[in-house]
Amino acid sequence: DAMVIQNPRYQVTQFGKPVTLSCSQTLNHNVMYWYQQKSSQAPKLLFHYYDKDFNNEADTPDNFQSRRPNTSFCFLDIRSPGLGDAAMYLCATSRGLLAAAGTQYFGPGTRLTVL
Amino acid sequence: AQSVTQLGSHVSVSEGALVLLRCNYSSSVPPYLFWYVQYPNQGLQLLLKYTSAATLVKGINGFEAEFKKSETSFHLTKPSAHMSDAAEYFCAVTLVGGDKIIFGKGTRLHILP
């Protein structure tokens, strides 16, 4: 089945130790999103790629970076994780802009713990 | 700027009872509206969406929502709650021409036996 896959599902890192979260999709969607979701809160958009064009949200900390080497894969890099970065990280895709009423398809998320 | 407000961070209903989750939107132009469901430690799954066609939208798992422009509302309903409906529900909005979706804060639905 076509889907959005996130690896790993659970990630533990140490304070200040760089970590990379992975997302892949078999939907061939041209837009990929990264969200941060803290406990009992709404998902917060960090950035998205429209094809190779990177779109960063204004309030996303510089500590968060992203790479999209090809259509299928997108990575979230946290350069120096702090305790406040512990959260669920959700990857999502859509075919084109949401203006076309495209649906976002979400992966299962990666829960990041920072020790 | 568009936004959504979900009334009630927690809602409890008895199994078999009506489910009503409230969502009001703020938008200066007609929006697209969505309801997503999130089960524990899972991603979000689309329940239904409104895209300016029929005002009553039917979704998966027996849920439906009605777009009421006069009330700027898009409440989610289900006639008879099931234990498996226990989850977090997010209302969301995007504008025509927009490239991102704005989520409400979510409502956690509890089903009482």
Side-chain angles (χ1 to χ4, degrees), chain B residues 19-33:
Chain B
V19 175
L20 171 61
L21 303 182
R22 300 178 187 273
C23 173
N24 288 89
Y25 68 91
S26 172
S27 174
S28 58
V29 297
Y32 294 143
L33 292 158

Side-chain angles (χ1 to χ4, degrees), chain B residues 84-98:
Chain B
S84 61
D85 295 326
E88 187 93 22
Y89 291 79
F90 291 95
C91 183
V93 65
T94 188
L95 289 183
V96 175

Side-chain angles (χ1 to χ4, degrees), chain A residues 9 35 37 42 57 99 101 103 107, chain B residues 32 38 41 43 49 97-98 100 104:
Chain A
R9 293 292 314 277
Y35 290 87
Q37 186 181 25
E57 292 301 298
T103 300
Chain B
Y32 294 143
Q38 185 178 33
N41 292 313
K49 64 181 180 182
K100 55 187 171 185

Side-chain angles (χ1 to χ4, degrees), chain A residues 36-52:
Chain A
Q36 179 192 64
Q37 186 181 25
K38 295 189 176 181
S39 182
S40 300
Q41 295 185 20
K44 177 181 179 296
L45 182 64
L46 295 173
F47 26 60
H48 74 275
Y49 273 95
Y50 190 103
D51 293 323
K52 293 185 178 181

Side-chain angles (χ1 to χ4, degrees), chain A residues 78-100:
Chain A
I78 308 177
R79 292 192 299 186
S80 182
L83 297 179
D85 296 327
M88 175 78 91
Y89 289 88
L90 297 168
C91 176
T93 72
S94 67
R95 185 187 304 279
L97 290 177
L98 292 171

